Amino acid sequence: MLARLESLEQRLAEVNLLLSGPEAARDLNTLRRLNREQVELTQVVGHLTAWKQAQADREAAEAMRADPELRAFADEEAQSALQRLRTEEDTLQRLLLPRDPNDERDVMLEIRAGTGGDESALFAGDLLRMYLRYAERQGWQTELMSESASELGGYREVIVRIAGDGVYSRLKFESGGHRVQRVPETEAQGRIHTSACTVAVMAEADDAGEVQIDPESLRIDVFRASGAGGQHVNKTESAVRITHLPTGIVVECQDDRSQHRNRDKAMKVLATRLRDRQMREAQAREAAHRKSLIGSGDRSERIRTYNFPQGRLTDHRINLTLYKLDRVMDGDIDEVLSALGSAHQAEQLAALAEAG
């Protein structure tokens, strides 16, 4: 393991050199790739430095034990250094696990109402607020890309872009079916209803042509915006619908008054959806990805239940139950996301142990 870590230390020096050179500034894709690699390597090398320091401290403490007057102090120092060594070793082992190359990317978060009619749309709005509040807590930036509002509030479909440090690594396990159990405001008999939404977290495609889209493969329609939006609604054809003919993927944006900006947003969402589709097709060909319970991101899978009468959230993949639903819906989801990340790492470590 040490040889691999030292090779990563050398690689960080190479990356720093490349980033300081003129070539990186000329190619945006190369610059982004090197910046991501630098972030990852800096974290690993920092822990390697801490491990080496703990090793040196332990050796120094062992040397002090030869002096009877310093033995008690040396024993304490050696024990402290040993604990730090073990902590850093555990951390380094986790950091050396196969990394998801998308972890540092920004995301397109897509929420779609499913079974449950108006109640499902209202729950989609609640989920959107939960993620936006969490993004606010993390200091991330958010931008509404597309929305299809329902008549009673909430959304039939909504797409938001979330940008910041490690957004995909934090949110990637949110893809799947989210089920809600509660008494709708329109329910006179007080009966609990069950409805569902689908969440898709897609790593954003880079701007600089990462996904090649043939203009001939697109049908672009412009039309008048509908729904809330002020005086411009139904007066100018600012809304844009883009259909990718080979896949049938349709993206619609009408939230901006500018047709040009709506088109740019729609193309960004389309590129991200196409990239996400390519990634999932590649993963489907790999048995290791199919076997991974948490990392599958299967959107037909029911991953979580929000039970409002009991104030309970249950994540079915890792059998996690929390009784703080009000705080969760207000964006306090760190505990859930951390548990999912830890479970995924445990799966990876177990797979490595089996392979070894």
Side-chain angles (χ1 to χ4, degrees), residues 55 71 89 96 114 118 152 158 205 226 237 249 265 282 286 320 342:
Q55 183 83 311
R71 187 166 296 162
E89 281 176 5
L96 288 179
D118 290 333
L152 296 182
V158 61
S226 59
E237 292 191 334
I249 293 174
K265 282 185 176 184
E286 297 177 33
L320 173 71
S342 297

Side-chain angles (χ1 to χ4, degrees), residues 24-322:
R26 292 194 194 106
D27 185 345
L28 190 58
N29 273 341
T30 300
L31 183 64
R32 282 180 172 141
R33 179 179 56 78
L34 289 173
N35 275 327
R36 289 188 191 116
E37 190 177 1
Q38 184 190 48
V39 169
E40 294 172 9
L41 290 172
T42 299
Q43 186 180 18
V44 174
V45 170
H47 285 285
L48 174 60
T49 302
W51 179 87
K52 287 179 176 178
Q53 185 60 56
Q55 183 83 311
D57 291 347
R58 187 184 180 198
E59 290 172 0
E62 291 292 342
M64 280 194 293
R65 297 180 74 180
D67 187 337
E69 293 183 5
L70 295 176
R71 187 166 296 162
F73 173 73
D75 285 345
E76 287 181 16
E77 288 295 299
Q79 186 61 34
S80 171
L82 181 61
Q83 288 177 348
R84 281 159 44 214
L85 266 177
R86 287 172 176 165
T87 299
E88 294 301 334
E89 281 176 5
D90 288 345
T91 301
L92 286 167
Q93 189 176 32
R94 288 198 301 274
L95 289 174
L96 288 179
L97 288 171
R99 287 187 65 82
D100 188 330
N102 295 314
D103 273 353
E104 294 305 316
R105 287 181 183 259
D106 300 329
V107 306
M108 294 286 183
L109 176 74
E110 181 179 284
I111 305 172
R112 289 186 179 182
T115 56
D118 290 333
E119 174 61 14
S120 175
L122 290 170
F123 182 52
D126 293 338
L127 286 176
L128 176 65
R129 181 181 181 276
M130 178 183 80
Y131 290 122
L132 291 178
R133 292 284 290 118
Y134 181 69
E136 184 183 340
R137 290 167 186 252
Q138 300 298 112
W140 294 339
Q141 295 177 318
T142 59
E143 178 187 6
L144 186 67
M145 302 299 287
S146 172
E147 64 175 323
S148 174
S150 66
E151 292 178 4
L152 296 182
Y155 300 94
R156 289 185 290 272
E157 177 185 288
V158 61
I159 303 172
V160 62
R161 178 178 182 266
I162 306 178
D165 292 335
V167 177
Y168 184 77
S169 68
R170 203 68 183 143
L171 295 179
K172 63 183 174 182
F173 300 124
E174 291 301 287
S175 291
H178 294 241
R179 184 177 70 168
V180 62
Q181 295 172 325
R182 64 183 176 189
V183 179
E185 293 180 11
T186 54
E187 171 56 62
Q189 304 298 320
R191 291 174 297 188
I192 296 173
H193 286 226
T194 298
S195 56
C197 291
T198 301
V199 172
V201 177
M202 300 172 288
E204 186 181 38
D206 286 337
D207 291 333
E210 184 184 9
V211 177
Q212 299 297 325
I213 302 175
D214 180 2
E216 297 295 317
S217 70
L218 302 178
R219 186 177 73 238
I220 301 177
D221 301 304
V222 294
F223 56 99
R224 293 178 181 178
S226 59
Q231 293 183 350
H232 74 290
V233 171
N234 295 328
K235 289 191 177 180
T236 61
E237 292 191 334
S238 59
V240 176
R241 181 187 302 112
I242 299 179
T243 305
H244 185 248
L245 299 173
T247 61
I249 293 174
V250 179
V251 180
E252 191 174 291
C253 286
Q254 59 174 319
D255 303 301
D256 204 292
R257 295 188 181 213
S258 162
Q259 183 188 117
H260 179 71
R261 284 194 293 270
N262 279 330
R263 187 182 186 282
D264 285 347
K265 282 185 176 184
M267 284 299 294
K268 189 181 280 283
V269 172
L270 175 61
T272 297
R273 281 185 176 170
L274 286 171
R275 186 183 181 281
D276 182 69
R277 181 189 179 103
Q278 292 167 5
M279 185 180 77
R280 290 181 184 282
E281 287 174 352
Q283 287 178 348
R285 293 192 290 268
E286 297 177 33
H289 280 279
R290 287 200 304 270
K291 186 175 146 187
S292 175
L293 175 66
I294 296 171
S296 65
D298 182 356
R299 287 162 203 167
S300 65
E301 175 193 9
R302 188 192 72 195
I303 64 168
R304 193 175 297 152
T305 296
Y306 304 73
N307 185 304
F308 277 76
Q310 297 180 17
R312 169 173 57 81
L313 174 141
T314 302
D315 196 290
H316 305 288
R317 296 164 293 178
I318 55 174
N319 295 319
L320 173 71
T321 297
L322 300 175

